[in-house]
Amino acid sequence: MRTSLIARGLYRIPALVWDQGLLTLFDARLSVDDLPAPIDVVSARSSDGITWTTPEPAIVETEHRGVGDVCLVTGDLCFHGLSNLAGFFEDPTDLEPRLARRDVSGWTSISMAHYFADVDAAFASSGTGLVLADGRWIQSFVVRRGREISLRILRSDGHITDIAGGNESAMTQLPSGRIVLHSRGVGHRLSSVSDDFGETFTPLEPVPELIDPGCNGHVFYWKAAGMLAATHLADPDLRRHLVVDLSSDEGLTWTHRITIEREEAAYSTAVEMPNGDVAVVWEAEGTRAIKCTVISVDDISLRIDEPISDAISLRHVGINDDHDGIEVALPDASQWGEGVFKIVSNPDASTQKIRTRGKPARQTLEIGDELVFDIRKGGEVAYGVTVPYDGRSLGEVKQDFGVGL
C-alpha cells in the first residue's frame, strides 16, 4: 500500500476514472464553502496512482457562478452541478445538474434540468460513475422536495427510478448482473439492489457492519480479489478512519478490510487499474488535501472491529480571507441535522458570502485561521469546536483537548 499527495489546499470532492491512466477531477475553491460558492474544477493524471501531474483547470466558470460535485463516468463523460448564488438547500434554487462531454477543445456541458422538473433541487452524486455491461450508463442523483431528501436513478436511455431516502450514492455491477447501490447515511451506510439493469431498485436498508458518520464513499466490484468492496469511514460520528471493507457474498457479510487512514478523512472514491491494483482517491487532513492510496490484494486482511473510543478529528479549516463578495441568505442548518447540511464557513450565520473571483485562493495556513474540530469524549460528541490557528502542528493543537491521543 502506497499513498501519494495529489494536491494540498482548498480542494475537495474527488472524481476518478481509468482513461488510459488515472484521471481525477476535483473542486478548486476560494474557501471551504460548498456550492453556490464560486468553485472551479481542476484535473490531474497519473499512470500508476503514485506520481501525479500538477492540477490544471478543467471546467471553469466566471463571476459568481460555481461548478463542482463531479462524477466521472468515462474519461470524456461526467456529471456536475452549476450554481449562481443559490444551491441545493436554498429556495428557490438555481443549482442545475449538468452532463458534460470532453473533446480536444475541453469539456462542454448541457442542462439536465428537464429530468428534475418535479423536484425542488437536484445534483449528481460525486465520485465514480457506472457503465453497465450492456454499455448504458446509470447515475444516482440526490433530489430535494421541501426538506425531504431522496434518490433519483437515471439511466442513459432516459429511464428513471426513484428511491425513498438516501443521500450521495455510488453503484457497481456484479458478475451476476446485479447492481449494488450504497448511499451515505448517518450512523451507517445504506444499500439497495437492482436485478433488472436498473428498471427497479429495492428499498434502502441499513448495512450495520458499514458504520459511517454521513459521508460520501464508494462501492465497487474488485475483479482481482473477486470481492465486493466499499470505501467508507469506520466511525459513526467523526470524519476519520478511512477503510476499504470487502465482502465475498455480494454484501451479506463484510469479513475483510484494508485500513487506509485512521485520522482525518472524508469523501473517497476508487477505481481498479488494469494490473488489478486499486487506486483510492480521498480527502485528507481535514479536507486540506487530496491524496491517492494504491492497494493490492496482498493488503487484504481479516476484519477486526475496534471499539468506538474517544477521538478528535479536524473537520475543516476556515481561511480568514479578504475576498470581496455578495452576501446571500443561508438556510437554517438546524432544520437538517448533523451530517446532512452543506459545509459553509459559518453554518450559524444568516448569510453565506459568495466570494468574487479574480484573486487566487490562499492555500497555506496563517495565524488566526479557524480550525474546526469534531470531538467525541466520554460518549458525547461535540461538533464544530473552533479554535484559532496559532502556528503549532495539528497534533500539538489536538493535545490541548486531551482526547485519546
Side-chain angles (χ1 to χ4, degrees):
M1 181 167 58
R2 297 177 63 188
T3 297
S4 59
L5 176 70
I6 301 175
R8 178 172 283 117
L10 289 169
Y11 301 109
R12 282 211 65 203
I13 320 294
L16 183 66
V17 75
W18 180 266
D19 177 46
Q20 298 180 330
L22 293 167
L23 169 66
T24 182
L25 301 182
F26 48 92
D27 290 6
R29 303 187 171 194
L30 296 179
S31 70
V32 70
D33 292 16
D34 289 339
L35 292 175
I39 298 168
D40 290 327
V41 171
V42 296
S43 67
R45 283 187 172 272
S46 173
S47 61
D48 57 6
I50 303 302
T51 303
W52 290 84
T53 61
T54 301
E56 58 184 28
I59 308 173
V60 299
E61 269 298 336
T62 60
E63 299 180 342
H64 294 97
R65 288 185 292 272
V67 290
D69 293 318
V70 176
C71 180
L72 275 166
V73 182
T74 66
D76 56 10
L77 173 66
C78 77
F79 300 95
H80 67 79
L82 171 65
S83 67
N84 185 26
L85 300 180
F88 181 75
F89 292 94
E90 281 78 21
D91 278 318
T93 186
D94 68 1
L95 177 64
E96 185 177 70
R98 309 278 294 187
L99 182 153
R101 295 186 182 276
R102 182 172 64 100
D103 57 24
V104 293
S105 60
W107 292 93
T108 303
S109 69
I110 60 173
S111 173
M112 305 187 72
H114 56 288
Y115 291 109
F116 305 97
D118 59 328
V119 300
D120 294 320
F123 68 94
S125 298
S126 64
T128 300
L130 175 62
V131 177
L132 298 172
D134 62 8
R136 292 177 294 180
W137 55 254
I138 188 168
Q139 175 66 29
S140 70
F141 292 80
V142 185
V143 300
R144 178 177 64 79
R145 298 174 177 88
R147 290 201 297 272
E148 178 183 308
I149 294 177
S150 58
L151 296 178
R152 173 160 293 179
I153 310 302
L154 175 64
R155 205 170 54 198
S156 55
D157 59 5
H159 179 73
I160 289 174
T161 301
D162 286 343
I163 303 176
N167 204 304
E168 292 168 307
S169 305
M171 289 180 283
T172 192
Q173 189 172 30
L174 302 177
S176 64
R178 166 172 282 189
I179 299 170
V180 178
L181 178 148
H182 277 192
S183 176
R184 64 184 274 186
V186 178
H188 47 250
R189 308 289 288 171
L190 306 171
S191 181
S192 170
V193 301
S194 172
D195 288 314
D196 51 16
F197 286 85
E199 291 289 324
T200 60
F201 280 83
T202 61
L204 286 166
E205 295 184 354
V207 186
E209 292 175 278
L210 303 184
I211 61 176
D212 192 80
C215 189
N216 201 12
H218 192 55
V219 62
F220 63 100
Y221 182 75
W222 190 349
K223 295 177 184 178
M227 303 177 83
L228 180 64
T231 71
H232 69 105
L233 305 181
D235 192 298
D237 309 304
L238 311 182
R239 288 190 168 185
R240 58 181 294 275
H241 200 183
L242 175 62
V243 302
V244 181
D245 277 339
L246 298 114
S247 170
S248 58
D249 54 14
E250 298 192 349
L252 293 177
T253 59
W254 298 85
T255 55
H256 291 74
R257 170 172 289 182
I258 299 173
T259 297
I260 292 178
E261 174 60 64
R262 292 186 176 275
E263 298 303 321
E264 286 83 2
Y267 282 32
S268 62
T269 190
V271 164
E272 183 172 1
M273 298 186 286
N275 67 356
D277 290 348
V278 168
V280 181
V281 174
W282 52 287
E283 298 176 334
E285 302 176 13
T287 64
R288 290 286 298 168
I290 302 291
K291 293 184 177 182
C292 179
T293 299
V294 176
I295 56 177
S296 74
V297 293
D298 294 334
D299 297 313
I300 299 173
S301 60
L302 285 174
R303 170 175 161 163
I304 300 176
D305 289 328
E306 302 173 8
I308 303 302
S309 58
D310 292 352
I312 180 170
S313 178
L314 178 67
R315 179 191 295 194
H316 61 257
V317 174
I319 297 293
N320 291 326
D321 62 64
D322 57 356
H323 285 276
D324 294 330
I326 298 174
E327 298 287 341
V328 299
L330 183 67
D332 181 2
S334 67
Q335 297 178 355
W336 300 95
E338 191 60 41
V340 177
F341 193 66
K342 64 182 178 180
I343 291 180
V344 291
S345 301
N346 183 3
D348 297 323
S350 60
T351 61
Q352 178 180 354
K353 181 181 180 181
I354 308 300
R355 288 159 174 80
T356 302
R357 282 185 168 85
K359 179 182 177 181
R362 174 163 58 81
Q363 304 293 10
T364 56
L365 293 179
E366 292 184 358
I367 302 299
D369 288 340
E370 295 182 338
L371 305 178
V372 182
F373 292 97
D374 297 329
I375 302 170
R376 180 175 56 238
K377 188 173 184 178
E380 300 292 327
V381 181
Y383 293 105
V385 178
T386 301
V387 298
Y389 176 64
D390 59 9
R392 292 182 297 161
S393 70
L394 181 60
E396 290 175 314
V397 175
K398 286 182 174 182
Q399 290 178 355
D400 291 345
F401 295 96
V403 180
L405 297 175

